[in-house]
Amino acid sequence: MAEIYPELSRTFSEYILIPNLTEKDHVSENVSLKTPVVKYKKGGESLLSLNIPFTSAIMQAVSNHTMAIALARSGGISFIFASQPIEKQVAMVRKVKYFKAGFVESDSNLRPDQTLHDVLALNKKTDHTTIAITEDGSPHGKLLGILTSRDYRINKCDLNTPVKDVMTPFPSLIYAEDGISLEEANDMIWKHKLNSLPVVNSDRCLLYLVFRKDYDEHMRNPLELVDKEKRLIVGAGINTRDYKERVPELVNAGADILCIDSSDGFSEWQHKTIAYVKETWNGEVKIGAGNVVEREGFNYLADAGADFIKIGIGGGAICITREQKGIGLGQATAVIEVAKARDEYFQKTGEYIPICSDGGIVHDNNILLALAMGADFVMMGRYFARFDESPGKKMKIKGNFVKEYWGEGTERARNWARYGYLKQGKLPFEEGVDAYVPYAGKLKDNIELTVSKIKATMCNCGALDIPELHRKARIALVSSLSMREGTVHDVIFKETDLSNLPT
C-alpha cells in the first residue's frame, strides 16, 4: 500500500509566531534582511546575496524587464520568464543589464547626416532622449556630438533637418577619457552640471556614457542590487527542453543566475539540465532548481549540483495542480520538511544550499513565517502581479482597478516546456487559471511597507537577521477560533448603517 505521511499538510495561516525578548538594540534600523542565494561552504560566503529576501516568479504575468529593473533597485531579483522565444527573453535580460550600468554602452546612436525624423523614430524605439552622434552611427564610432531633447523643438523644427545642424558638437562637449573611475566621472557631472558625460578613447571613439540620473537613483535606492560593474542583477528562467539552445544565449546576454521553471523538480530532466550547465561553464554559471516539497526531492537536486532549491507544488494563488492532479503538499509543511533536509545536508557535507519558498503567500505575515520556518528567501507571483511594473494590463472592473494575472499552467501561457507536451496544439489540461488581482500601485511603495512589517516582527522575535530568526523563532499552531480572535470581531464598523440593526 501507499506510504502514508502521519502529519497533516498545513498552510502558513495555520501558524502564528510567539514573541521572544525584545532587547534595546532590537529596532528596525538594525535589522538586516541580506540573505544568500547560491550555495557556499561552511565558513565561506555566498557569491550572490539578496538585500531583501524577495524574488519574483518565473511567470509571463509577473517577471519581465520592467519588473526586474524595479525589484533589483529595491534589493531583490526577478527571474525573467522562459515561456517565450529565446531572442525575446535575451532582449529582456539585456534591457535590465543596460538600464543602469554606471558606464553605459550607448544603445541610442545616429549618424550626423540622419534627420529629426530618425531621432523621433529612435526615441520611440528606445525611450531614450540622449543620443550619441557618431561618424558611422555605431555605439563605438568616432564621437561627433550629442543630441538631447533640449537641442530641438518638434513643433518648431523641420523634421528633415540633419542631426548635425542641431546637435551639440564635440568641441563644445565636456567629456572624459578612458580610464576614469565612476567616482571621478560622477564628480565631473556634478562640477559641470551635466546630465550625461561621454567617455572616449585616444581616437575619440565613444566607449561609454555616464548619467547623472544613475547616481541620483542609487541615492534613492540604497539597497539596489548590482554586479561588480554596477549593473543591475537579473535572473532568467529556463526549461528542461531547449536548455542547450537557451542557456548559452542568456549567459552571453549577462544573466547573473538561472532557475529551472518546472511544476515538479524531482526529475531526471532537471538532473540532466543542471549537469549540462555545470559541466559547460565549469560551475561558474549558477542555477537554481525545483520545485520540491520534501527531503528526498531536496537531496536529489542537492546531489545534482543545484545552487539553490525552490519549494512548493500547488500553493500559488492561480495554481490548480492539487485540484487537477491531487499532488503537492501544504506550503508550510513543505518548507519545514525541506529546511530540515537542508540543515542535515549542511551538517553532513559542510555545504549550505539556500532554499526558496515559492507560493502560498497570502498576507505579508506569511513571508515572515516562511523565513522563520527555514526559508532563506521567498518567490512570489500574485504579490508582484499587482504592481505597475508587472506585464499584465491594468483594467477597471465594476469601479475597481485590477491587473491581469494568469498562471503558467493556463492555455493562455502555453508553457508546454514546463508541463511536458502539447496535445493537438493545446495543453491536455490546465494547471492554472486566468484571473485578476487588485491593483496596488508602484512596487517601491508596497515593498517598503512589507519590509517594514517584516523588520518590526523580527524585532518582536528577538532577531536582527534571517539566520538568527531561523535559530530563535518560536511558532505555534492556531485553532479556527484563535484565527477569528486574531481579526476584528464583536464590534460595529463605523460605516455600518445603524438604522438596520435589530433592536
Side-chain angles (χ1 to χ4, degrees), residues 123-290:
N123 287 159
K124 184 176 181 180
K125 179 181 178 182
T126 65
D127 202 30
H128 296 164
T129 57
T130 298
I131 299 174
I133 310 303
T134 59
E135 198 168 59
D136 59 0
S138 71
H140 300 298
K142 187 172 183 178
L143 184 63
L144 301 182
I146 293 289
L147 182 72
T148 73
S149 57
R150 295 178 300 177
D151 294 318
Y152 59 91
R153 296 170 67 187
I154 292 300
N155 59 340
K156 298 289 185 180
C157 294
D158 181 353
L159 295 184
N160 293 314
T161 303
V163 168
K164 62 184 178 182
D165 291 349
V166 290
M167 72 181 186
T168 301
F170 185 82
S172 300
L173 292 175
I174 294 172
Y175 62 93
E177 296 182 348
D178 190 19
I180 190 172
S181 70
L182 185 58
E183 183 178 1
E184 291 169 335
N186 281 322
D187 287 343
M188 285 186 67
I189 286 173
W190 282 93
K191 178 181 178 181
H192 298 286
K193 301 180 180 179
L194 306 173
N195 286 323
S196 65
L197 177 72
V199 180
V200 299
N201 64 14
S202 56
D203 295 323
R204 217 174 86 187
C205 292
L206 179 64
L207 299 176
Y208 309 104
L209 292 170
V210 181
F211 291 94
R212 171 190 287 267
K213 69 179 179 66
D214 287 347
Y215 178 84
D216 292 341
E217 289 297 331
H218 181 67
M219 292 298 101
R220 286 195 288 268
N221 297 280
L223 295 178
E224 195 170 54
L225 205 62
V226 296
D227 61 20
K228 293 179 180 179
E229 298 177 11
K230 306 298 182 184
R231 300 182 302 178
L232 295 175
I233 297 287
V234 62
I238 63 171
N239 60 62
T240 59
R241 311 292 169 177
D242 66 2
Y243 58 91
K244 290 185 179 180
E245 295 76 39
R246 189 175 294 268
V247 173
E249 296 297 323
L250 292 170
V251 172
N252 290 336
D256 297 280
I257 185 168
L258 308 173
C259 185
I260 302 172
D261 177 31
S262 174
S263 60
D264 177 14
F266 194 5
S267 76
E268 291 184 350
W269 298 108
Q270 292 221 3
H271 196 293
K272 289 178 63 176
T273 305
I274 295 167
Y276 165 78
V277 171
K278 292 300 179 181
E279 291 166 9
T280 305
W281 285 275
N282 297 316
E284 293 183 7
V285 172
K286 305 305 178 184
I287 179 171

Side-chain angles (χ1 to χ4, degrees), residues 17 52 87 102 132 147 205 209 224 255 277 291 296 308 341 359 366 400-401 406-407 503:
L17 288 158
I52 59 172
E87 61 273 15
L147 182 72
C205 292
L209 292 170
E224 195 170 54
V277 171
N291 288 12
E296 287 85 355
F308 74 86
N366 295 159
N400 297 310
F401 284 105
W406 63 98
T503 58

Side-chain angles (χ1 to χ4, degrees), residues 24 33 38 41 56 90 93 112 126-127 150 184 201 212 232 241 289 294 296 307 345 370 390 392-393 407 416 434:
K24 60 184 179 181
L33 294 181
V38 298
K41 294 290 186 180
S56 65
V90 165
V93 170
T126 65
D127 202 30
R150 295 178 300 177
E184 291 169 335
N201 64 14
R212 171 190 287 267
L232 295 175
R241 311 292 169 177
E294 36 62 68
E296 287 85 355
D307 289 293
Y345 194 89
S390 74
K393 291 181 181 178
W416 67 270
D434 198 340

Side-chain angles (χ1 to χ4, degrees), residues 427-484:
L427 289 169
F429 60 91
E430 294 184 300
E431 294 188 39
V433 299
D434 198 340
Y436 302 106
V437 288
Y439 168 67
K442 293 186 177 298
L443 177 145
K444 182 177 175 61
D445 296 337
N446 286 274
I447 217 165
E448 286 179 351
L449 176 60
T450 299
V451 165
S452 69
K453 292 179 185 179
I454 290 173
K455 287 185 173 183
T457 308
M458 286 177 65
C459 290
N460 296 146
C461 293
L464 292 178
D465 57 37
I466 293 172
E468 189 175 20
L469 181 67
H470 289 167
R471 297 191 303 270
K472 288 187 174 182
R474 297 189 296 162
I475 303 172
L477 280 167
V478 294
S479 68
S480 58
L481 288 177
S482 178
M483 290 180 190
R484 180 178 180 275

